[in-house]
Amino acid sequence: MSIYGPYEQILSDILSLTTDRIKELNQQTVQDKQPKLYEHLIARVKTAESMVEKCQRKGYPVTTESALRRCRDAVGIRIICNFIDDIDRCLYQLRQADWCEIIKEKDYITNAKPNGYRSYHVIIDETVPYQDVEGNNPGHFYVEIQLRTIAMDSWASLEHEMKYKHNIKNPERIGRELKHCADQLASCDVQMQTIRQLINSSEEGD
Ligand code: 0O2
């Protein structure tokens, strides 16, 4: 049996449920004649192998309890937004939602990682109609939500791919170039936001 024990199917069900709940927030926003909250979503259950590796790296016992309670990213959803402001709008909606509580936030947008990585991470404690490891039903499960713009996401995808290429000759140079690229993309995100505001204010003036 995998590190997820009897919870393997439940984690997939939670992934679908959370995705549907976030889509519902978006649909409600659009019905209220507001711009859509995000461009698209990506959802995954962390593979059992990656979860075992993470528990070992963190010095946790390789148990289902560690995978679901000590690690809090077995279920992960990435929300890819068009504009930086949309990230704040998504966060606002998540804070209002009665099915979850945000218990941890990491703002790698205000405080980008030294390599240039930008994204806003939250861990939610989600209430779901399944029994959890402590025997509660409705149960509580953690879900990691990463919020980023299209530009931040394209950079992170490329950088992630590079990380696994170990035979690179000049990693320092590539690291510098990647950082430069991340900063330029961040500046484009700010410009795009300004363009959106200009369009909105010119429409209001019509
Ligand atoms: P995967 O498959 O993407 O999930 P913590 O759990 O809080 O103790 P952790 O896990 O290091 O600490 O959390 P953190 O810093 O919030 O970042 C975890 C996830 O963010 C990673 O998941 C990546 O998805 C993403 N991430 C963080 N830093 C970088 C980075 O420098 N480059 C890229 N491309 N992504 C990053 P996993 O578990 O690595 O993999």
Side-chain angles (χ1 to χ4, degrees), residues 71-83:
C71 297
R72 296 187 284 192
D73 62 347
V75 177
I77 304 214
R78 196 167 280 157
I79 303 181
I80 320 293
C81 298
N82 280 324
F83 297 96

Side-chain angles (χ1 to χ4, degrees), residues 44 46 54 58 73 78 104 106 108 113 115 117 121 144 146 156 159-160 163:
R44 65 104 183 94
K46 202 179 193 74
K54 179 165 183 173
K58 300 241 172 204
D73 62 347
R78 196 167 280 157
K104 187 173 176 189
K106 281 192 197 171
Y108 294 127
K113 282 195 165 184
N115 64 355
Y117 177 75
H121 296 186
E144 183 188 65
Q146 299 181 346
E159 192 266 355
H160 183 77
K163 256 187 204 159

Side-chain angles (χ1 to χ4, degrees), residues 88 90-98 100 102 105 120 122:
D88 292 328
C90 286
L91 285 167
Y92 177 82
Q93 292 296 333
L94 286 171
R95 289 196 177 100
Q96 303 298 311
D98 58 7
C100 73
I102 295 179
E105 306 188 33
Y120 200 103
V122 296

Side-chain angles (χ1 to χ4, degrees), residues 102-183:
I102 295 179
I103 55 155
K104 187 173 176 189
E105 306 188 33
K106 281 192 197 171
D107 183 355
Y108 294 127
I109 296 178
T110 307
N111 303 301
K113 282 195 165 184
N115 64 355
Y117 177 75
R118 286 173 173 80
S119 192
Y120 200 103
H121 296 186
V122 296
I123 304 290
I124 58 168
D125 178 342
E126 183 172 2
T127 308
V128 296
Y130 306 103
Q131 186 165 312
D132 65 25
V133 266
E134 276 119 31
N136 307 301
N137 195 351
H140 286 263
F141 283 79
Y142 295 126
V143 175
E144 183 188 65
I145 302 182
Q146 299 181 346
L147 301 112
R148 27 170 110 149
T149 62
I150 295 171
M152 293 172 197
D153 189 52
S154 55
W155 183 92
S157 302
L158 284 178
E159 192 266 355
H160 183 77
E161 205 178 294
M162 301 279 186
K163 256 187 204 159
Y164 295 100
K165 294 197 193 301
H166 295 297
N167 52 351
I168 285 174
K169 283 198 195 90
N170 45 359
E172 292 81 15
R173 166 93 199 272
I174 291 173
R176 276 201 307 278
E177 296 289 346
L178 271 171
K179 169 78 171 62
H180 183 56
C181 195
D183 293 344

